[in-house]
Amino acid sequence: MAALLYWRGRSPSSDFDIFAPLYYGWRTPDEQLRILLPIHFRHLTPDSRSALWGLYFERESPGKHSRIFFPLYFHSSDGQERTTLAGNYFSRTSAQYDTRVAFPLFWSAQARQPDLNSYETLIPFYFKMNNAKEKVESVFSPFFFAYRSSDSAQGFFPPFYWRETAERETAVAFPLYWDFLKKSEDGWKRTQVFAPYFKRSSEDSEFK
């Protein structure tokens, strides 16, 4: 009976052990393999390593590695590219882009080459868009919005509204406060209302 369950072999180049039907081991000067069904295996070579321990699996080789804990966690790295999945969180990073997701509400993506664009949203609270190449950033929401570029900016967050350009600036706090500033080569003019207060001014005059 023992002969039917256990086998062993030896030679100058390799050896093996078998304990049927669960265990198998095999070795050479450059490679090792060990299997214990159904919970474990291990494989070694001069430039790689793989192993399974129950629900956990890992593999490593030069510049690469993977780790998995079934079914909750996965991580893989290959040079500059990395991928991670942990529960409802997912991320992937490379030299060209970066993506992050927390299902189902949060999504973020950034392209590094060649456009340098990024997008981010937290449903339903806001959506953000950024173009670093053109220096434009926007945020939209059911509750507010904001926009900024290299030459202007504006936003609305009730009860506040603001807008700025090279020629004009506006600031409002509904319904009591209003501020308007106009700039030109001839100087500036400003109108302010803080009910019931009123003021109008410029570089050389003032009325209130």
Side-chain angles (χ1 to χ4, degrees):
M1 184 67 179
L4 297 177
L5 295 177
Y6 179 71
W7 293 268
R8 182 179 186 183
R10 297 289 185 269
S11 71
S13 60
S14 66
D15 58 74
F16 70 88
D17 293 276
I18 300 176
F19 201 122
L22 300 178
Y23 178 80
Y24 173 77
W26 178 70
R27 292 167 295 276
T28 68
D30 296 325
E31 189 173 3
Q32 298 182 28
L33 176 63
R34 182 175 64 202
I35 301 174
L36 179 61
L37 297 175
I39 61 172
H40 171 65
F41 88 85
R42 185 169 182 258
H43 183 213
L44 299 178
T45 68
D47 57 0
S48 68
R49 178 172 68 92
S50 302
L52 174 70
W53 300 88
L55 300 177
Y56 177 76
F57 169 80
E58 67 176 359
R59 176 177 174 83
E60 293 187 5
S61 60
K64 301 179 182 180
H65 75 260
S66 299
R67 292 183 176 89
I68 304 173
F69 185 72
F70 299 99
L72 300 176
Y73 177 79
F74 168 83
H75 178 77
S76 175
S77 177
D78 185 353
Q80 292 184 315
E81 184 168 314
R82 296 186 300 275
T83 303
T84 301
L85 177 63
N88 68 332
Y89 175 79
F90 169 82
S91 71
R92 174 168 288 177
T93 302
S94 71
Q96 289 76 35
Y97 61 87
D98 184 4
T99 302
R100 293 178 295 144
V101 179
F103 297 102
L105 299 181
F106 178 78
W107 302 72
S108 173
Q110 177 178 351
R112 298 189 179 92
Q113 300 292 338
D115 296 326
L116 300 175
N117 292 328
S118 67
Y119 307 90
E120 183 177 285
T121 183
L122 179 61
I123 302 171
F125 299 105
Y126 76 90
F127 173 78
K128 179 180 179 181
M129 180 171 55
N130 185 26
N131 187 323
K133 184 177 180 179
E134 299 180 3
K135 298 182 179 180
V136 175
E137 183 174 0
S138 305
V139 181
F140 303 95
S141 165
F143 315 103
F144 65 91
F145 84 87
Y147 170 88
R148 180 178 294 276
S149 68
S150 58
D151 56 5
S152 66
Q154 62 179 318
F156 178 60
F157 188 84
F160 305 103
Y161 169 80
W162 66 94
R163 186 172 188 270
E164 297 180 11
T165 66
E167 297 82 21
R168 296 178 182 269
E169 293 183 14
T170 301
V172 179
F174 296 102
L176 299 178
Y177 179 75
W178 305 72
D179 187 353
F180 304 97
L181 175 64
K182 181 179 180 181
K183 293 172 283 186
S184 67
E185 295 180 356
D186 299 330
W188 57 268
K189 295 180 180 180
R190 187 169 193 172
T191 301
Q192 293 174 286
V193 177
F194 192 5
Y197 174 80
F198 172 84
K199 179 181 178 181
R200 185 163 188 173
S201 59
S202 64
E203 290 187 351
D204 52 10
S205 66
E206 182 176 298
F207 171 78
K208 58 182 177 178

